[in-house]
Amino acid sequence: MAENIKKIECALISVFYKDGIDEIAAELTKNGTRLLSTGGTYDYLVQKGFKVEKVEDLTTYPSILGGRVKTLHPKVFGGILSRRDNAGDREQMVQYELPYIDLVIVDLYPFEEYVAKGASHQDIIEKIDIGGISLIRAAAKNYKDVVIVPCKECYSKLVECLKAHNGGTTEEERYSFAKHAFATSSNYDTHIFSYLNSDGEIPAFSQSILGSRSLRYGENPHQNATYFGSEDSLPRQLHGKEISYNNMLDIEAAIELISDFDSTAVAVIKHNNACGCAVRGTVLEAWKDALAGDPVSAFGGIIVTNGTIDKEVAEEINKIFFEVIIAPEYTPEALEILECKKNRIILERGNVQPSKMKFRSMLGGALMQERDTVAETPADLTVVTEKAPQESQIADLLFANRLVKHSKSNAIVLAKNGMLLASGIGQTSRVDALKQAIEKAHSFNFDLNGAVMASDAFFPFPDCVEIAHNAGITAVIHPGGSIRDAESVDYCNANGVAMVTTGKRHFKH
């Protein structure tokens, strides 16, 4: 692309956010640029001592309809859209006495902010920008001759350009600004549509996220990866190396899991599954029992808790190698201990919550679904056997059910006394998942007598409850719903095993 430097002779400035506009106005004024402005921006610039002309004086029309119409006029849009190398355009510019406008600085009403803060529908509708979005599109379309600055994030870039070219810009720079402009307008319109179409009447996959972060690599080192989203959507990183794609997946899995616990809990995540988890009276106790669940898999894992990490906890955690730790808070003494490993990623969760919706690319399209937010309570359990579970067993059943919900299907979880003993995950057969869990529990010398079993889906045959019973399991939780449920219930009744159903399957793929 040719350099094609064009000096800015006339600029239109009309912005909602005025911080930083002074420096731009000063640079433009220094280079003799004529300034046009509207409303609050005009008042602001005049108060700052700049020579500015009102757009109303150019158009001879005041701002009307409560400010809804200010810049929508041929004298404004003609000056922006005129092609400087087109003879016919130049003739009409003279004929209709239209000024050439070489720079447009405009941002948009804060529509997303009004939606986020729960404003009234009418207030939200009033924050749908019309003039601003039209100016952005017009200037961006004519990037060969016009510079468009569509948001405050582009202010510093414009100042750099003006200083580098004595009040001018290159075509390459104008093209870059135009891309920013259409990204801004596209994002804005997408959020408006999403708000108006919250009932899903119009079937459309419409998502727009402007912020991004390059990740160290993708699922494997030879794959590139990018996170799209606001930094506010992520836990605050206090220490450590750059976060990778796999770290991101584990961080999400960890936050989704810990969000299902009200009691003090610690979990260790490996490849999106919990390999250790416990609920206890203190974070230290929960950590020790979570680690005991599988000290081998915990190596290089992700630690997450809903309690404060203090010095004592940090000293214990620091005894093993782990990639990431997530907690709502750390004491200064704890941070000093944990930061001894320069690459260790330490995250402060803050107010970060799991996403409400899940998206996944699918061949030439995309899949979208609601996140599984069901977390069963005692009221959701239906006792289907003659023997009802005891109160302590109910607590273990619900604990195990929360874990199996966050485990890759087919999944089985074995638990006792608020501690994960073992799980079988990602198996093509539910029987294989159970056998895997039992073998793993025995490998760490756990006594399964009196333990409970949770399954993410129903049992199509009674083989699983028979295998579990023979291993020492005394209570079972599953969704139910198989046409052969009665066979599993009959086996439990014949062998003194308590069984409850939830009516909710928790597949995870």
Side-chain angles (χ1 to χ4, degrees):
M1 188 176 291
E3 193 172 40
N4 191 15
I5 295 176
K6 287 185 177 288
K7 190 170 186 299
I8 296 169
E9 303 288 350
C10 180
L12 170 61
I13 307 174
S14 180
V15 294
F16 188 87
Y17 298 101
K18 301 181 177 56
D19 291 346
I21 208 68
D22 312 43
E23 186 178 7
I24 295 175
E27 195 66 32
L28 291 170
T29 300
K30 184 178 74 174
N31 287 284
T33 303
R34 176 188 181 190
L35 302 183
L36 303 173
S37 193
T38 63
T41 308
Y42 171 85
D43 294 337
Y44 177 84
L45 291 173
V46 169
Q47 289 171 7
K48 292 292 182 177
F50 294 104
K51 182 182 178 181
V52 193
E53 300 174 40
K54 289 184 178 181
V55 168
E56 294 95 311
D57 292 340
L58 171 68
T59 63
T60 68
Y61 274 86
S63 172
I64 62 174
L65 306 181
R68 284 188 166 198
V69 179
K70 289 183 285 190
T71 57
L72 296 170
H73 192 280
K75 284 202 171 182
V76 174
F77 281 85
I80 295 170
L81 287 165
S82 171
R83 294 158 292 187
R84 276 56 164 177
D85 59 357
N86 183 290
D89 285 5
R90 290 199 302 271
E91 288 176 8
Q92 288 190 325
M93 292 293 288
V94 173
Q95 178 183 356
Y96 297 108
E97 300 180 342
L98 307 181
Y100 289 104
I101 297 175
D102 310 302
L103 167 64
V104 175
I105 305 174
V106 62
D107 57 14
L108 302 171
Y109 290 152
F111 179 85
E112 292 175 68
E113 292 178 20
Y114 270 64
V115 174
K117 73 179 185 180
S120 69
H121 177 71
Q122 187 55 43
D123 284 344
I124 291 171
I125 293 301
E126 285 303 318
K127 284 297 175 284
I128 297 178
D129 206 309
I130 303 301
I133 203 78
S134 302
L135 289 169
I136 287 173
R137 291 178 63 86
K141 177 178 180 177
N142 203 25
Y143 70 85
K144 285 186 67 178
D145 298 308
V146 179
V147 189
I148 174 61
V149 178
C151 57
K152 60 182 183 294
E153 287 76 17
C154 289
Y155 287 0
S156 60
K157 180 180 177 181
L158 175 64
V159 171
E160 291 176 9
C161 295
L162 295 176
K163 289 182 176 180
H165 309 298
N166 297 316
T169 60
T170 67
E171 185 170 341
E172 183 177 359
E173 289 165 346
R174 294 191 294 276
Y175 186 69
S176 177
F177 279 115
K179 287 189 285 187
H180 279 287
F182 283 115
T184 298
S185 65
S186 173
N187 179 70
Y188 196 74
D189 286 341
T190 296
H191 285 285
I192 294 171
F193 170 71
S194 295
Y195 170 74
L196 295 176
N197 195 50
S198 59
D199 59 359
E201 178 185 352
I202 300 175
F205 182 80
S206 182
Q207 297 293 319
S208 179
I209 303 173
L210 289 182
S212 67
R213 174 199 285 194
S214 294
L215 304 177
R216 286 208 317 272
Y217 50 78
E219 205 157 7
N220 299 290
H222 62 274
Q223 295 171 267
N224 294 324
T226 304
Y227 166 77
F228 289 95
S230 165
E231 291 295 319
D232 294 337
S233 300
L234 297 174
R236 186 163 71 99
Q237 185 166 352
L238 305 179
H239 180 77
K241 62 185 177 182
E242 186 182 346
I243 295 174
S244 72
Y245 179 94
N246 290 334
N247 290 152
M248 282 287 193
L249 295 179
D250 282 332
I251 289 167
E252 180 184 54
I255 290 177
E256 288 182 351
L257 172 61
I258 207 69
S259 296
D260 274 352
F261 289 99
D262 296 322
S263 302
T264 300
V266 173
V268 183
I269 306 297
K270 201 72 175 288
H271 296 293
N272 309 155
N273 297 289
C275 60
C277 186
V279 291
R280 293 290 182 264
T282 67
V283 174
L284 181 61
E285 293 171 321
W287 161 248
K288 288 180 177 179
D289 285 341
L291 177 63
D294 188 348
V296 175
S297 296
F299 182 87
I302 309 292
I303 300 170
V304 62
T305 181
N306 53 10
T308 299
I309 301 292
D310 60 21
K311 179 182 178 182
E312 193 175 10
V313 175
E315 287 175 338
E316 287 297 317
I317 290 176
N318 199 44
K319 293 177 181 178
I320 74 162
F321 167 71
F322 60 91
E323 285 263 345
V324 181
I325 183 168
I326 310 167
E329 189 177 14
Y330 303 83
T331 65
E333 297 82 5
L335 278 177
E336 186 176 351
I337 293 168
L338 296 174
E339 289 175 352
C340 69
K341 302 290 186 182
K342 69 175 183 179
N343 288 331
R344 179 179 287 162
I345 298 170
I346 303 175
L347 302 177
E348 184 179 74
R349 179 177 173 181
N351 294 320
V352 172
Q353 298 298 324
S355 303
K356 294 180 180 179
M357 302 299 294
K358 290 282 192 178
F359 309 103
R360 180 180 293 185
S361 61
M362 178 52 55
L363 301 176
L367 292 174
M368 178 173 70
Q369 69 168 348
E370 297 173 337
R371 182 173 62 86
D372 184 357
T373 59
V374 173
E376 285 83 359
T377 67
D380 299 312
L381 307 183
T382 301
V383 179
V384 294
T385 49
E386 296 168 358
K387 183 176 183 178
Q390 299 173 2
E391 188 173 339
S392 61
Q393 288 179 311
I394 291 176
D396 277 343
L397 288 168
L398 292 173
F399 170 79
N401 199 57
R402 278 164 170 69
L403 290 176
V404 84
K405 165 189 167 182
H406 294 280
S407 301
K408 295 290 185 181
S409 302
N410 288 311
I412 293 288
V413 164
L414 307 179
K416 185 165 70 172
N417 298 327
M419 173 181 172
L420 172 61
L421 300 184
S423 60
I425 52 179
Q427 300 300 304
T428 54
S429 160
R430 198 158 300 281
V431 170
D432 287 344
L434 174 57
K435 289 180 177 178
Q436 182 190 60
I438 293 171
E439 181 181 350
K440 189 171 185 179
H442 288 161
S443 72
F444 292 112
N445 298 315
F446 285 124
D447 181 8
L448 291 177
N449 288 301
V452 305
M453 173 176 70
S455 173
D456 61 342
F458 62 63
F459 300 111
F461 305 101
D463 46 7
C464 279
V465 290
E466 180 178 356
I467 295 169
H469 168 247
N470 289 334
I473 302 299
T474 56
V476 176
I477 184 171
H478 72 120
S482 168
I483 59 174
R484 303 179 71 166
D485 271 354
E487 295 179 24
S488 294
V489 174
D490 289 344
Y491 180 90
C492 289
N493 285 334
N495 293 277
V497 176
M499 177 182 281
V500 299
T501 58
T502 64
K504 292 287 190 300
R505 190 181 72 185
H506 291 299
F507 269 166
K508 185 180 180 185
H509 295 98

